[in-house]
C-alpha cells in the first residue's frame, strides 16, 4: 500500500498476507503536525531503507539499551517514557501521520534526544530493519482491539508477530503489552504463553511500571470501569 507520505517514509507495506493491523484514517493534520512532519521527519525520523538495520547507535550515537514501540498513537506515553529513561534509546513506529507529526513536535519542544520515529508498518519494519537478538524491550500499548470476531485476524498480537518480536529480543529482553480490552488481554496471554522462546515475568498480569504514564485514554477506560490488563514476557536465556 502506498501512502501520501510515501515519498518521505517509503511504502507502508503489509506483512505479506494483505491483512493490516490498522486502517489509514484520513485524519486531518494540524498545521503544527504538518510543519513538524515536513521539517522534523528528516531530523528525528528514519527514511525507509530496507537495506540498513536500525539500532541504538543510530538513535543516540552509542551502544545503549534499545526499546522499540509498536503503534505509539499520538505519542504521549512515548515522549514521557523517553524522558523518564534518558539512558535508553527508543524507536517508535506509527502509521498514522497526525500522530507522527505530533510526536515529532513534542520531541523538538521537549528537547528529547533519545527517541526517533518511523512512519512505517511496524510488522514489516521489525522483520526488515531490526536485527535478530538486538532489542531489550518492545512496548505495545493499547493496540487496536479489533473487537468483531471477523476482524480478530487484524490484531497485531498474533502468534506470527509475537514470534517475530521474540526473535529480535536479546535473551532476557521483554515484550510489554497493555490493553483495556479484557477479551484481547486473555487472548494475548494465551498467544504469549504459546511462544516457547518466552516466559511470563509475572504469575499472570503484570503490575504497571513506574515509568509507564497513565494516558488520557487510559484514565477514561478506568473511569468507564474497564480494567487495564498488562503483560510482561521475557525471552528465555
Ligand atoms: C489504539 S491506538 C493506541 C495508541 C497508543 N499506543 C496509546 O496507547 O494511546 C493503536 C495505534 O497503533 C497503530 N498501528 C496499528 N498497527 C500498526 C502497525 N502495523 N505499524 C505501526 N502502527 C500501527 C495505529 O495507527 C494506532 O495509532
Amino acid at each position: 500500500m502506498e501512502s501520501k507520505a510515501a515519498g518521505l517514509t517509503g511504502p507502508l507495506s503489509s506483512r505479506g498476507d494483505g491483512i493490516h493491523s490498522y486502517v489509514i484514517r484520513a485524519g486531518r493534520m494540524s498545521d503544527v503536525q504538518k510543519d513538524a512532519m515536513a521539517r522534523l521527519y528528516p531530523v528525528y525520523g528514519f527514511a525507509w531503507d530496507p537495506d540498513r538495520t536500525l539500532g541504538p547507535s543510530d538513535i543516540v550515537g552509542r551502544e545503549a539499551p534499545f526499546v522499540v514501540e509498536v503503534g505509539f498513537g499520538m505519542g504521549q506515553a512515548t515522549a514521557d517514557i523517553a524522558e523518564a529513561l534518558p539512558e535508553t534509546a527508543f524507536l517508535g513506529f506509527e502509521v498514522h501521520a497526525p500522530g507522527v507529526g505530533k510526536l515529532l513536535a513534542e520531541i523538538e519542544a521537549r528537547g528529547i534526544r533519545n527517541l526517533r520515529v518511523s512512519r512505517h508498518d511496524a510488522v514489516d519494519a521489525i522483520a526488515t530493519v531490526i536485527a535478530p537478538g538486538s532489542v531489550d524491550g518492545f512496548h505495545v500499548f493499547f493496540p487496536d482491539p479489533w473487537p468483531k470476531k471477523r476482524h480478530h485476524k487484524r490484531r497485531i498480537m498474533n502468534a506470527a508477530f509475537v514470534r517475530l518480536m521474540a526473535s529480535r529480543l536479546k535473551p532476557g529482553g521483554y515484550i510489554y503489552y497493555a490493553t483495556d480490552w479484557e477479551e484481547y488481554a486473555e487472548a494475548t496471554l494465551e498467544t504469549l504463553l504459546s511462544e516457547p522462546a518466552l516466559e511470563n515475568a509475572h504469575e499472570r498480569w503484570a503490575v504497571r511500571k513506574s515509568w509507564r504514564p497513565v494516558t488520557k485514554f487510559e484514565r477514561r477506560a478506568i473511569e468507564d470501569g474497564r480494567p487495564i490488563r498488562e503483560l510482561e514476557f521475557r525471552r528465555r536465556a
Side-chain angles (χ1 to χ4, degrees), residues 52-223:
R52 173 183 166 212
T53 55
L54 294 177
S57 54
D58 300 295
I59 298 163
V60 292
R62 58 180 159 78
E63 278 312 306
F66 182 34
V67 170
V68 174
E69 181 169 358
V70 175
F72 57 72
M74 300 308 277
Q76 189 200 331
T78 314
D80 288 353
I81 295 170
E83 269 191 329
L85 303 173
E87 299 307 320
T88 299
F90 289 91
L91 171 58
F93 290 102
E94 173 55 61
V95 292
H96 186 51
V100 176
K102 172 95 171 77
L103 183 55
L104 287 169
E106 204 66 26
I107 291 172
E108 181 181 57
R110 297 199 203 179
I112 298 172
R113 290 284 166 264
N114 56 326
L115 165 62
R116 303 270 305 256
V117 302
S118 168
R119 204 204 147 195
H120 197 87
D121 180 324
V123 179
D124 183 56
I126 291 166
T128 312
V129 299
I130 302 296
S134 69
V135 176
D136 290 272
F138 283 102
H139 292 174
V140 193
F141 298 143
F142 303 93
D144 300 286
W146 294 108
K148 291 184 183 144
K149 203 153 189 193
R150 69 173 192 280
H151 288 152
H152 283 187
K153 58 181 182 290
R154 286 176 169 271
R155 286 179 169 174
I156 199 159
M157 292 300 280
N158 57 55
F161 185 54
V162 164
R163 194 171 320 123
L164 173 65
M165 285 194 287
S167 75
R168 270 38 185 177
L169 284 175
K170 297 174 185 170
Y174 66 87
I175 296 173
Y176 202 97
Y177 160 92
T179 186
D180 62 327
W181 202 265
E182 186 73 18
E183 180 268 327
Y184 193 13
E186 296 281 353
T188 301
L189 176 60
E190 289 311 311
T191 305
L192 289 164
L193 285 170
S194 302
E195 172 48 57
L198 299 174
E199 60 190 350
N200 197 344
H202 304 265
E203 209 161 295
R204 189 170 166 81
W205 308 117
V207 182
R208 193 172 66 83
K209 301 282 183 199
S210 57
W211 44 256
R212 197 178 76 68
V214 179
T215 59
K216 232 191 287 173
F217 167 83
E218 190 173 346
R219 203 164 304 120
R220 203 172 323 126
I222 296 166
E223 282 163 13

